[in-house]
Structures are given as structure tokens and as C-alpha cells.
Amino acid sequence: MKRRVFTTAVAAGALALSTFAGSARAEVSAIRISHGYGILYLPLMVMRDQQLIEKQAKKMGLGDVKTTWLTLDGGNVINDAMLAGNLDIAGTGAPGFITLWSKAQGIPRSEVIGLGALSTSSLWLNTNNPNVKSLKDFTAKDKIAIPGIKTSLSAVVLQMAAAKTFGIENYAKLDPLTVSLSHPDAVGALLGGKTELTAHFTSPPFSYQEAKDPKITRVLNSSDLLGNITLDVVFAPKQFTEANPKLTAAFMAAQEEANAYIVANRKGAAETFLRISKIKMTQPEVEQILADKDTQFSTTPNGLMDYVTFMDKAKTIKTRPAKWSDMFVPAFQTRKGS
């Protein structure tokens, strides 16, 4: 869907939400948003750097809106912050969002809703153990770093890989080997080789940083396993979107603007990533990642029901959505996602 058509749909959705919430109620003038460390969060970094939410909010007649940005990684950490009322909108791994959406159904103060997909790329399972060539080679002596146990993107994709390798009944076979560590910290530990850590399941640019070291080999590429499915999404408390329809629409329009900027200006997007993330890489290295066919930014979800099907079989979610759009704001009902 072209951006102009999407913006019209967002405006219509905002009007419907406004009617539901009560047009006399004033919307908030400040918003708290989180993103993680890597390339998967680039649209949010562009929005932050160029103050696109503030720009779109003014267009919608909301005046000056203050945005506070937090850096959080790991589905369980983000979900806890959202449930505690410390976040208004968050970028997170799709499995973490699905877990919270399912868990919070029927609890008005806790219910969450998706505002769109965020990104897709490939997760690489890298190791410094020369004896590990496949998932079957990991032993009790190995430790695999992921940003959050059980509910993070890396954790669930690793479970999906284990299910394909060992059978669905053994989806959690590698869970005892996982340790919670932020991606930046895990890179240092894996490359240093002085800790018990022998593997890291990670996203760009961290996967690329590790792969440059001759001691590192790649055990798994998630794109080979799952294809180019959505890895990260953005979501908010449902009550927040109903009480703040115009601000919600401003956020969604800002994300579309950020995606268009990334496509049109790869060099500028790379500069933005380095400036916001403060990761020590060269601009050409980041541009190389953005040129990778597996790295894509779209607000239309793709393949979310693959996670749902797995998590339902593994019995790690309580409520299963009938279709992917059940988890998103009304503006997505006409999208051809999956």
C-alpha cells in the first residue's frame, strides 16, 4: 500500500478511535517510546533523530509533543515495562508481542495492540566453538547468549529451530543452554573467548561484527529456516491508542515516513544508525547491511501466524488469534499481511 493511501487509512482509523474514546477528551502531550540496539530498530532511530513524531503530531493539530526515548532489549524486559505503565509504545520482537497480546486478552488495563510491523532481517547463530557445526553439536558445556530467556525474538526463533531439528516435543531442548545478555555485551564476550559463552543468536549489525573474526563460524541463519518473516513489531497498550487516536496516527505516519527515508537515502540512514546506536562500525559496513536482501523495513506484517502456530503447538501462549490482523489496530484490517 502506498504511503498516501496508508495515511488516509490511518486518519480514518484515528477518527473512529476518537469517536469511541470521546472527542472532548484531550490527548497526552508527552509519549514514551523504546527501541533496541540493532538494525532491526532503524525506523524508530530515524523517527527519533528527525523528530518525525513531533512533526506528524503538529500536522494533526496536537501542538508540541514531547517524546522520551528509552533503549530496551529482550521481550520480557519490554513487556514488564509496558505492563508497569512505564512505556507508551515499544519496538520488540514479534514473539514477545504475541506472548503479551495473548496473556493480556480480557484484561482491559493490560491489553496491548500492534501498530505495525517494524523490520525483518536474518538472525545468525554464531559460535567460537570449532566442534559445533549444527544444533545437534551443542553440549551441556556450551552457553548461548540471547537478549531475553524464553520470550525474546532470539529465544523463540531458537526454539522453532530446535523443533525442526529435534521434533516439536523437544522445542525447549536448547533452553537450558541459553543465558540472558544484551547483544552488545554478548559480542564482546563471544569474541573475547574468556567466558563460558560459546555462541550468540543475534541480529545485524552484531552478527556481522562477529562474522569478521576468523574464530567465529555460523551455525544457523534464520532466513534459511523461516524465510523473510517479520522479526520485530511496534505495539502499545490498547487503552493508550483509544485515548490518544491522533497521537497514535501521528506515530504510524512517522514510521511510514522513516521507512521511505531509509529506502531513498541509504547513506543517511546508515549515518543515523551510527549516530543513535553509537555502535563502532564504519558507514560502508552499515550500508552493506542495509543492502542485504534479507534486511527490509515495512509496516505490513509478514509471517506472524508462523510464530502463532508454533507457540500454540508448544503451548507457550494462552489465546490464539484467529488471524494476524486481530492483534493490530483497525487500520490494518484491509492489509494483505500474514
Side-chain angles (χ1 to χ4, degrees), residues 169-197:
E169 69 278 5
N170 294 310
Y171 77 91
K173 183 178 179 66
L174 299 177
D175 282 8
L177 307 184
T178 60
V179 294
S180 182
L181 202 62
S182 73
H183 286 312
D185 289 342
V187 171
L190 188 69
L191 296 182
K194 297 180 180 180
T195 70
E196 62 180 358
L197 192 72

Side-chain angles (χ1 to χ4, degrees), residues 1-15 47 56 60 114-118 234 245-260 298-301 324 328-336:
M1 183 181 293
K2 292 186 181 299
R3 190 169 56 153
R4 183 178 299 174
V5 177
F6 175 79
T7 303
T8 301
V10 168
L15 179 61
M47 292 160 67
Q56 293 293 340
M60 296 186 182
L115 304 183
L118 183 59
V234 284
K246 288 185 178 180
L247 186 52
T248 300
F251 174 89
M252 295 166 69
Q255 188 181 348
E256 291 288 346
E257 186 174 354
N259 286 349
S298 172
T299 57
T300 301
W324 71 268
F328 288 81
V329 292
F332 282 78
Q333 295 302 314
T334 58
R335 293 282 192 103
K336 293 182 179 179

Side-chain angles (χ1 to χ4, degrees), residues 17 25 56 112 182 235 253:
L17 282 173
R25 182 184 302 172
Q56 293 293 340
V112 295
S182 73
F235 74 105

Side-chain angles (χ1 to χ4, degrees), residues 27-106:
E27 299 199 16
V28 297
S29 59
I31 186 170
R32 302 159 298 175
I33 311 168
S34 77
H35 63 67
Y37 296 100
I39 285 288
L40 292 175
Y41 299 96
L42 180 57
L44 296 177
M45 294 181 184
V46 171
M47 292 160 67
R48 176 179 183 173
D49 191 53
Q50 299 184 14
Q51 298 185 323
L52 297 183
I53 297 172
E54 295 88 334
K55 171 185 170 182
Q56 293 293 340
K58 282 188 176 181
K59 279 187 178 182
M60 296 186 182
L62 293 175
D64 293 327
V65 171
K66 177 184 177 182
T67 57
T68 298
W69 291 90
L70 306 171
T71 303
L72 298 175
D73 207 11
N76 48 352
V77 174
I78 295 166
N79 289 355
D80 288 347
M82 186 71 76
L83 290 173
N86 296 325
L87 275 178
D88 300 312
I89 296 177
T92 191
F97 162 66
I98 293 168
T99 297
L100 184 53
W101 181 90
S102 174
K103 181 179 180 180
Q105 284 301 290

Side-chain angles (χ1 to χ4, degrees), residues 54-321:
E54 295 88 334
K55 171 185 170 182
Q56 293 293 340
K58 282 188 176 181
K59 279 187 178 182
M60 296 186 182
L62 293 175
D64 293 327
V65 171
K66 177 184 177 182
T67 57
T68 298
W69 291 90
L70 306 171
T71 303
L72 298 175
D73 207 11
N76 48 352
V77 174
I78 295 166
N79 289 355
D80 288 347
M82 186 71 76
L83 290 173
N86 296 325
L87 275 178
D88 300 312
I89 296 177
T92 191
F97 162 66
I98 293 168
T99 297
L100 184 53
W101 181 90
S102 174
K103 181 179 180 180
Q105 284 301 290
I107 309 173
R109 292 188 176 183
S110 301
E111 283 187 327
V112 295
I113 194 161
L115 304 183
L118 183 59
S119 53
T120 186
S121 187
S122 53
L123 302 180
W124 295 355
L125 178 57
N126 294 328
T127 184
N128 61 14
N129 184 346
N131 297 319
V132 175
K133 308 297 182 183
S134 72
L135 294 186
K136 294 180 180 180
D137 296 326
F138 283 107
T139 72
K141 295 181 180 180
D142 291 296
K143 294 299 179 184
I144 304 171
I146 54 178
I149 304 298
K150 294 188 180 297
T151 62
S152 70
L153 172 65
S154 295
V156 175
V157 174
L158 183 62
Q159 290 177 343
M160 294 170 78
K164 285 184 175 290
T165 302
F166 305 109
I168 186 64
E169 69 278 5
N170 294 310
Y171 77 91
K173 183 178 179 66
L174 299 177
D175 282 8
L177 307 184
T178 60
V179 294
S180 182
L181 202 62
S182 73
H183 286 312
D185 289 342
V187 171
L190 188 69
L191 296 182
K194 297 180 180 180
T195 70
E196 62 180 358
L197 192 72
T198 59
H200 181 201
F201 201 18
T202 187
S203 60
F206 313 107
S207 51
Y208 281 71
Q209 288 178 312
E210 293 170 349
K212 290 171 62 178
D213 192 308
K215 299 190 300 294
I216 302 299
T217 57
R218 188 170 67 195
V219 180
L220 174 70
N221 180 333
S222 68
S223 293
D224 295 337
L225 177 74
L226 304 174
N228 289 119
I229 72 171
T230 294
L231 296 184
D232 278 23
V233 301
V234 284
F235 74 105
K238 190 174 183 180
Q239 284 190 339
F240 177 86
T241 66
E242 292 173 344
N244 301 279
K246 288 185 178 180
L247 186 52
T248 300
F251 174 89
M252 295 166 69
Q255 188 181 348
E256 291 288 346
E257 186 174 354
N259 286 349
Y261 175 80
I262 294 169
V263 171
N265 192 342
R266 186 180 294 166
K267 178 177 180 292
E271 291 173 345
T272 297
F273 176 76
L274 292 172
R275 184 163 51 250
I276 297 297
S277 71
K278 303 188 186 310
I279 289 174
K280 294 182 178 180
M281 297 183 73
T282 66
Q283 182 181 306
E285 286 174 329
V286 178
E287 289 189 54
Q288 177 189 359
I289 296 171
L290 295 179
D292 190 318
K293 63 179 177 58
D294 288 336
T295 302
Q296 303 169 19
F297 303 98
S298 172
T299 57
T300 301
N302 177 50
L304 290 192
M305 293 305 288
D306 291 349
Y307 297 112
V308 170
T309 297
F310 164 73
M311 296 168 80
D312 184 50
K313 287 182 179 179
K315 296 180 171 49
T316 57
I317 55 173
K318 179 180 178 181
T319 303
R320 173 178 178 148

